[in-house]
Amino acid sequence: MIRLDNISKQNGSRLIFIEASAALLRGEKIGLVGPNGAGKSTLFRLITGQEPPDEGQILIDKKVSIGLFSQDVGEMAGRSAVAEVMDGAGPVSEVAAELAALEAAMADPEQFDRLDKILERFGEVQTRFEELGGYALDAKAREVLHGLGFSQEMMEGDVGRLSGGWKMRVGLARILLMRPDVMLLDEPSNHLDLESLIWLEQFLAGYDGALLMTSHDREFMNRVINKVIEIDAGALTSFSGDYEFYARQAALNEKHQQAQFERQQAMLAKEIAFIERFKARASHAAQVQSRVKKLDKIERVEPPKRRQTVEFDFRPAPRSGDDVANLRSVSKQYGSKVIYEGLDLLIRRKERCCVLGVNGAGKSTLLKLVTGTTTPDAGTVTLGGSVKMGYFAQHAMDLLDGEATVFEALDAAFPHAGQGALRSLAGAFGFSGDEVEKRCRVLSGGEKARLVMALMLFDPPNFLVLDEPTNHLDLATKEMLIKALATYEGTMLFVSHDRHFLTELSNRVLELTPEGIHQYDGGYTEYVARTGQEAPGLHT
């Protein structure tokens, strides 16, 4: 359906692709992977014709429809979420808009004298709407929005009043409703909660077109894709299989290439030593000459080009008392919406509690109550002895000093740490080389999240409260974080929609339900086994 044939692309002085080739065939579901800045978004722009390649060509079969979802969803305002989603389906959306306008006109007393004309036009437009399958499309649009977590009220409300994350869901719903021959999805798993993520997996499993997507959620990738294309150092390499297969195969390939490189280096060293030793002796002139010619002809094996994840050993956290946080008879409501009533909860030392619950169940509110960011309407929240808390919330990223560089932010927080330690900390969180000189105001959401995490974990607290800590992290940083937190000796309370993160780090589950908190000893894996569901309100 789509073929990339020897494409080369350069941005300024940076080479993105060098004579790279790959193909996307009918029915293939491909995960696009590679380090940050490798060129994943550039590849999407090349396929959709937003940018041309410098060399080579992109061949797309005739009449193939392509739908692109990117993080930049543009301006949305003045229409309902349903109308915005149906807009992606072509002419039917214009007919739907006219139908809505005519319905409003019929109910307008000021237009009563035109009622006959309005009714006549309404009949014509309604017939056209039915011919285009409009009523079925409206129902499908609502089904997709519901799957992505929208309430009826949100579907009908002005899309302009939604937050950036919810607008992204509207943008994603447009592409899903369109069901093009090829879907290009750039980070569709961002901004989704666990329920929506699982719904999206099931939707994509039933989608019969071709799919090319990026995602920082390895579990999501494993459930959806059947092929991986890796971008690294300008090349495109294809692997058949899911993400786990790709990770094993890529590590194996790297090991083989390293061994080949080392063998060749040893052989070259021996040959060069022989030449150096005997080049001045006339008796060995023929042998020396023959070996020089042989060396010139040898094709050099390159060392592996895949980048290693930087590891960082975090200091041990100081010990806290056995009771870390205690909530007694806590009640909390916003307006008429009751979130908690008479809640009792004790969090003990070394527990790693993950909080699960449908949208609006009060996951973030629980974290805010524990951290003192919000106060209960009734009851008490007390922290135990020697508790030193670290709280990661989305708003923490807004508190960074925009004029400070990454290194200055770290240095200001830890003035007694050596330059080497701070640079190694920055490297572990994805700021290598000159990237530590970037000012905070130009950092992307992901970079800000990594910096806030680095500031929090360098001198670790013994009680970590994390609200969606992996939202903006790439796969490599996420793996490093999971590895570091696996050996963390303190207590954790966290909300995450990343099942790999939940599986690896939780040892207790707090499920928020309308009847109160259901508590499960054992981690997320045991919760799934005992309840038969991966998220509250969804059955596997």
Side-chain angles (χ1 to χ4, degrees):
M1 294 176 92
I2 297 176
R3 210 166 79 241
L4 310 169
D5 200 5
N6 282 319
I7 58 162
S8 295
K9 181 72 180 173
Q10 192 167 344
N11 272 355
S13 59
R14 203 160 66 90
L15 287 167
I16 309 285
F17 297 111
I18 308 155
E19 295 182 355
S21 297
L24 175 60
L25 308 176
R26 195 173 299 281
E28 281 188 328
K29 295 188 166 92
I30 299 177
L32 192 58
V33 304
N36 270 353
K40 298 189 285 287
S41 298
T42 304
L43 190 65
F44 283 154
R45 288 196 296 274
L46 290 171
I47 291 172
T48 53
Q50 291 167 271
E51 287 183 29
D54 298 336
E55 287 172 29
Q57 51 186 344
I58 292 163
L59 305 164
I60 299 172
D61 289 354
K62 278 183 184 166
K63 294 188 178 172
V64 163
S65 58
I66 297 176
L68 168 68
F69 167 75
S70 73
Q71 295 294 300
D72 180 19
V73 291
E75 275 306 306
M76 291 182 184
R79 285 195 289 195
S80 70
V82 174
E84 194 68 52
V85 170
M86 286 172 66
D87 186 46
V92 70
S93 63
E94 291 162 30
V95 180
E98 190 179 351
L99 204 58
L102 289 165
E103 279 174 356
M106 284 191 292
D108 184 356
E110 288 186 14
Q111 300 202 46
F112 192 69
D113 55 340
R114 293 182 57 241
L115 191 57
D116 289 348
K117 276 188 178 175
I118 293 169
L119 282 168
E120 188 185 336
R121 180 63 187 152
F122 183 81
E124 291 166 8
V125 175
Q126 193 175 37
T127 305
R128 178 76 180 127
F129 191 62
E130 279 172 3
E131 282 168 3
L132 291 169
Y135 287 110
L137 197 68
D138 181 89
K140 282 180 189 166
R142 288 173 190 277
E143 191 185 325
V144 171
L145 284 168
H146 178 70
L148 293 176
F150 282 76
S151 64
Q152 281 301 126
E153 195 182 344
M154 289 169 78
M155 289 182 205
E156 300 296 349
D158 185 345
V159 76
R161 289 204 293 271
L162 296 175
S163 69
W166 285 100
K167 282 180 181 168
M168 293 249 184
R169 296 191 196 204
V170 172
L172 178 59
R174 277 175 70 134
I175 304 297
L176 300 182
L177 182 70
M178 192 195 295
R179 288 186 92 98
D181 300 320
V182 177
M183 270 193 215
L184 307 178
L185 305 180
D186 194 3
E187 293 296 341
S189 51
N190 263 8
H191 302 285
L192 294 186
D193 52 40
L194 195 46
E195 288 79 9
S196 304
L197 199 57
I198 293 165
W199 177 87
L200 180 59
E201 278 171 6
Q202 291 163 351
F203 182 95
L204 292 175
Y207 165 65
D208 51 10
L211 171 70
L212 180 65
M213 73 167 191
T214 63
S215 175
H216 291 156
D217 187 322
R218 64 188 274 170
E219 190 58 44
F220 177 67
M221 290 263 259
N222 274 333
R223 308 273 184 108
V224 173
I225 64 172
N226 53 28
K227 181 177 170 181
V228 169
I229 292 179
E230 179 193 56
I231 308 181
D232 205 2
L236 294 170
T237 312
S238 297
F239 299 79
S240 288
D242 63 11
Y243 183 81
E244 292 299 332
F245 172 80
Y246 151 74
R248 286 195 304 272
Q249 199 57 44
L252 207 60
N253 291 357
E254 190 175 341
K255 206 172 167 185
H256 286 167
Q257 194 174 341
Q258 184 66 34
Q260 243 183 316
F261 173 72
E262 285 169 7
R263 278 197 301 274
Q264 190 181 68
Q265 289 300 304
M267 180 273 288
L268 292 173
K270 274 172 75 174
E271 293 293 316
I272 289 164
F274 180 90
I275 292 164
E276 287 299 315
R277 190 173 167 195
F278 295 111
K279 67 182 176 187
R281 296 190 193 178
S283 57
H284 286 73
Q287 275 177 289
V288 167
Q289 208 52 40
S290 140
R291 292 197 180 198
V292 168
K293 280 181 184 168
K294 182 178 146 190
L295 281 188
D296 285 344
K297 284 179 187 168
I298 286 176
E299 193 176 326
R300 299 291 198 265
V301 174
E302 293 290 324
K305 61 178 178 288
R306 294 181 74 248
R307 300 177 206 183
Q308 296 296 318
T309 308
V310 184
E311 292 186 9
F312 190 81
D313 290 326
F314 294 101
R315 302 175 192 172
R319 187 185 162 121
S320 70
D322 286 341
D323 289 357
V324 174
N326 197 353
L327 287 75
R328 302 289 297 273
S329 304
V330 165
S331 296
K332 184 70 185 175
Q333 66 183 76
Y334 294 107
S336 60
K337 186 169 168 56
V338 175
I339 310 289
Y340 295 112
E341 196 164 5
L343 167 69
D344 291 322
L345 176 67
L346 175 64
I347 296 168
R348 296 177 295 273
R349 190 171 74 86
K350 285 200 169 187
E351 283 186 332
R352 297 154 173 263
C353 306
C354 70
V355 185
L356 301 180
V358 298
N359 259 338
K363 299 187 291 290
S364 291
T365 301
L366 179 63
L367 270 51
K368 286 174 181 171
L369 286 165
V370 169
T371 55
T373 318
T374 194
T375 51
D377 300 333
T380 58
V381 179
T382 50
L383 295 183
S386 308
V387 169
K388 177 188 172 194
M389 189 193 296
Y391 177 35
F392 177 88
Q394 301 306 310
H395 70 78
M397 297 185 272
D398 304 330
L399 304 178
L400 294 167
D401 175 4
E403 290 310 308
T405 64
V406 168
F407 188 80
E408 284 166 355
L410 294 172
D411 194 38
F414 311 111
H416 303 299
Q419 274 224 6
L422 291 183
R423 283 188 179 274
S424 127
L425 171 70
F429 282 92
F431 298 103
S432 52
D434 292 344
E435 288 181 326
V436 294
E437 299 307 324
K438 276 185 174 179
R439 296 206 181 277
C440 291
R441 62 180 153 75
V442 302
L443 298 180
S444 67
E447 288 169 327
K448 284 180 181 172
R450 298 203 307 263
L451 178 54
V452 169
M453 201 73 75
L455 288 164
M456 189 170 69
L457 292 176
F458 182 65
D459 182 17
N462 51 29
F463 183 30
L464 281 177
V465 181
L466 310 172
D467 195 355
E468 294 288 5
T470 61
N471 242 1
H472 299 280
L473 301 185
D474 60 30
L475 279 161
T477 312
K478 209 181 278 189
E479 286 303 317
M480 183 278 295
L481 184 63
I482 288 172
K483 210 168 170 187
L485 291 177
T487 58
Y488 171 69
E489 290 287 307
T491 308
M492 286 171 65
L493 175 69
F494 62 96
V495 173
S496 175
H497 66 256
D498 188 295
R499 281 158 294 177
H500 182 52
F501 193 84
L502 292 169
T503 301
E504 294 296 316
L505 296 175
S506 60
N507 61 20
R508 185 180 175 202
V509 174
L510 306 176
E511 182 189 45
L512 308 184
T513 73
E515 298 81 51
I517 293 190
H518 293 171
Q519 303 185 37
Y520 299 85
D521 288 326
Y524 176 71
T525 310
E526 288 86 343
Y527 165 81
V528 174
R530 281 171 64 184
T531 62
Q533 60 187 31
E534 290 191 297
L538 269 192
H539 290 272
T540 52

